[in-house]
């Protein structure tokens, strides 16, 4: 095992060589006997493990079990399907809100045209000279 590999395993598995993979742990013990730099790396990893152990909060086992039971209860609960917010109705009746909306918009357009809010051009206001007829069979006629 090289020193670079030893550092990588110390970063991955920490300062306890028993947590390392078995084949790499044997090679690491051999390297520890012969290399002072490897021992320094392992001391740093052990110090980091101690800091992480002190930083982690102590949680009682019953609290952990209560949280896991709550998660299991939520996962086992039946799923309640809510209608999509844009449909305004339960799934069998989704056609009617859309049809009602389109009918209301048609009425608004009709009343806007009748009241003169939107100008409507009729075909009679144009002269035949202003109309351009394009056909793929006859070509362009002006």
């Amino acid at each position: 095992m090289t020193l670079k590999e030893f550092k990588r395993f110390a970063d991955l598995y920490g300062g306890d060589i028993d947590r390392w993979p078995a084949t790499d742990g044997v090679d690491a013990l051999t390297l520890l006997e012969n290399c002072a730099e490897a021992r320094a790396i392992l001391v740093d990893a052990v110090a980091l493990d101690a800091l992480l152990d002190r930083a982690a909060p102590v949680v009682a086992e019953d609290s952990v079990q209560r949280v896991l039971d709550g998660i299991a209860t939520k996962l086992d609960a039946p799923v309640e399907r809510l209608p999509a917010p844009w449909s305004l109705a339960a799934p069998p009746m989704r056609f009617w809100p859309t049809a009602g909306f389109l009918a209301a918009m048609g009425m608004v357009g009709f009343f806007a045209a009748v009241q003169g809010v939107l100008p409507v051009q009729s075909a009679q206001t144009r002269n035949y000279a202003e109309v351009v007829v394009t056909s793929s069979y006859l070509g362009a006629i002006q």
Side-chain angles (χ1 to χ4, degrees):
M1 172 177 280
T2 64
L3 196 58
K4 186 176 182 180
E5 291 173 339
F6 185 86
K7 172 116 176 77
R8 183 174 158 265
F9 279 110
D11 290 341
L12 287 175
Y13 299 107
D16 186 9
I17 294 183
D18 293 334
R19 290 187 295 196
W20 294 22
T23 56
D24 296 316
V26 172
D27 294 340
L29 290 174
T30 305
L31 185 63
L32 277 174
E33 291 175 3
N34 300 329
C35 182
E37 196 171 341
R39 288 189 292 271
I41 291 171
L42 192 64
V43 167
D44 289 342
V46 169
L48 180 62
D49 286 346
L51 285 173
L52 291 175
D53 288 341
R54 278 190 279 159
V58 177
V59 179
E61 186 63 33
D62 60 336
S63 298
V64 172
Q65 191 59 41
R66 190 176 68 240
V67 169
L68 291 176
D69 290 341
I71 292 171
T73 303
K74 291 284 187 181
L75 288 175
D76 292 339
V79 177
E80 183 179 325
R81 301 254 180 212
L82 297 175
W86 59 84
S87 67
L88 303 175
M93 298 297 289
R94 286 196 182 158
F95 170 74
W96 298 111
T98 305
F101 174 76
L102 292 175
M105 289 297 104
M107 293 299 292
V108 167
F110 173 74
F111 288 127
V114 168
Q115 296 297 323
V117 176
L118 296 174
V120 178
Q121 292 182 351
S122 65
Q124 285 79 20
T125 60
R126 293 185 174 174
N127 296 333
Y128 286 113
E130 297 175 1
V131 177
V132 175
V133 178
T134 304
S135 170
S136 61
Y137 183 71
L138 298 175
I141 300 173
Q142 294 185 2

